Amino acid sequence: QVQLVESGGGLVQAGGSLRLSCTASGGTFSKYTMAWFRQAPGEERAFVAAISGSGANTRNTDSVKGRFTISRDNAKNTVNLQMNSLKPEDTAVYYCAAGQMGVTIVPDYYNYWGQGTRVTVSS
């Protein structure tokens, strides 16, 4: 069983930056694809970014390309999401997820989820 704990959310002005972190325990971290999803009020959970177990492959959703960067440190069992040039539409609860079905945008292919961390971007 893998446990995931997110941190780093908060309130930031538009144009600012935040760095989200997710620490995993209870499994062999490098065997898992790690991903970030987000859920805005009244909307479904949406894919943001994912990174393969080795870190060699990444994928971002179009709306965050050039602004968000996903990375991982397998020695520390952590995955990070560096978010720059934040926009009010980035406001959401951000969830960390782990799975073994490759770098996919499909939430059903991720078996483990954190509790989420809230990001609020003010205009």
Side-chain angles (χ1 to χ4, degrees), residues 11-76:
L11 173 65
V12 64
Q13 288 189 333
S17 298
L18 280 176
R19 184 178 177 87
L20 305 184
S21 293
C22 173
T23 301
S25 61
T28 303
F29 185 67
S30 61
K31 291 185 177 180
Y32 291 89
T33 295
M34 299 300 297
W36 289 93
F37 287 78
R38 65 187 179 186
Q39 188 166 19
E43 297 185 10
E44 294 186 352
R45 194 167 296 189
F47 173 79
V48 177
I51 186 167
S52 62
S54 67
N57 298 316
T58 62
R59 183 173 182 176
N60 289 357
T61 193
D62 287 346
S63 63
V64 308
K65 285 181 179 177
R67 301 189 299 122
F68 291 11
T69 302
I70 188 170
S71 62
R72 67 188 296 158
D73 185 337
N74 286 346
K76 296 181 179 179

